[in-house]
Amino acid sequence: MSLPSIVQIGAPVLRGAAHDVAPERILTQEFQDLVKTMIDVMRQAPGVGLAAPQIGIPLRLIVLEDREEFLTRLSPDELRDRERVPFSTRVFVNPVLTLVGDETAVFFEGCLSVSGYMALVERRLEVEVSGLDEHANRQTWRVRGWPARILQHEIDHIGGTLYIDRMKTRSFTTVEQAKEHYGDKSVTEIVRSLKLES
Ligand code: ZN
């Protein structure tokens, strides 16, 4: 069976507020199949997160994971700066995000629905998310660093917000240009060269 394609920016479904999932629907075969499809689409992309509107379904459902193999592309310094750690697949239904503390971090971020581009985005360093899991059980996850960034990005999606709404606009770049010009620079250097306020 072929997987649904990832909806690209401009589609209204990426800009609307997604709907709550009725808890009794979570254990239906149809919903379980949807969760599996989303995980498959995320892995095929490949990406570290996906929200249901990204496959055209306006429901408050996100999946995320960060795999060991993705982390091998970053240097130890990059991993440490980003507080990036692998985590196994998480599914959140009707997630509610709470920002924790006031520490923030600025890093490049991309989106499978804005294919080929990236930009610097300031995000809260620590968050707590609560909601239901794929078995309809309540769950809460308090997390910081890169997983917290992924969560904020995906939960934005179900509210119709994209990273480009939050980005430092002068840092917006194609992935190719970023590789060519920013590959060996720290975020601090990039911020300075683009004359962004820090
Ligand atoms: Zn995205």
Side-chain angles (χ1 to χ4, degrees):
M1 202 183 76
S2 69
L3 291 171
S5 53
I6 296 174
V7 174
Q8 293 300 303
I9 185 163
V13 70
L14 293 175
R15 288 310 198 171
H19 309 294
D20 267 329
V21 177
E24 61 272 19
R25 189 176 164 189
I26 295 174
L27 297 177
T28 64
Q29 192 58 51
E30 174 219 12
F31 193 83
Q32 294 293 311
D33 289 347
L34 171 60
V35 170
K36 186 180 179 307
T37 297
M38 283 183 56
I39 292 169
D40 289 346
V41 170
M42 170 178 67
R43 288 178 178 166
Q44 182 182 266
V48 292
L50 192 77
Q54 292 183 275
I55 55 167
I57 296 173
L59 289 179
R60 301 187 60 227
L61 164 65
I62 62 171
V63 298
L64 54 160
E65 69 180 5
D66 204 358
R67 302 159 75 106
E68 198 83 55
E69 67 206 66
F70 295 157
L71 275 54
T72 59
R73 296 177 207 150
L74 284 92
S75 72
D77 280 354
E78 288 172 325
L79 291 174
R80 192 200 54 230
D81 291 349
R82 287 162 180 69
E83 299 187 45
R84 188 161 173 178
V85 286
F87 60 91
S88 54
T89 317
R90 304 286 302 242
V91 176
F92 275 91
V93 182
N94 304 336
V96 175
L97 185 79
T98 307
L99 304 173
V100 179
D102 52 12
E103 282 181 280
T104 61
V106 178
F107 286 109
F108 274 104
E109 200 171 302
C111 178
L112 297 173
S113 295
V114 189
S115 184
Y117 295 91
M118 54 201 283
L120 290 172
V121 182
E122 184 167 17
R123 297 276 188 191
R124 209 63 72 94
L125 203 51
E126 187 168 359
V127 299
E128 184 173 288
V129 62
S130 57
L132 301 175
D133 67 12
E134 68 274 38
H135 310 294
N137 295 322
R138 288 216 68 79
Q139 61 173 341
T140 297
W141 192 25
R142 184 165 170 161
V143 68
R144 59 178 282 137
W146 207 257
R149 176 173 294 266
I150 300 169
L151 269 172
Q152 289 169 81
H153 179 115
E154 300 310 330
I155 292 176
D156 268 352
H157 268 301
I158 58 176
T161 295
L162 300 172
Y163 83 88
I164 55 169
D165 306 332
R166 300 186 185 278
M167 71 180 176
K168 295 189 179 295
T169 51
R170 287 173 57 80
S171 70
F172 191 53
T173 173
T174 64
V175 173
E176 283 81 18
Q177 292 291 332
K179 268 188 205 140
E180 189 173 339
H181 301 291
Y182 301 145
D184 56 350
K185 290 198 176 74
S186 70
V187 169
T188 311
E189 289 172 303
I190 297 164
V191 163
R192 199 179 302 132
S193 70
L194 290 170
K195 299 179 170 57
L196 304 171
E197 77 248 48
S198 55

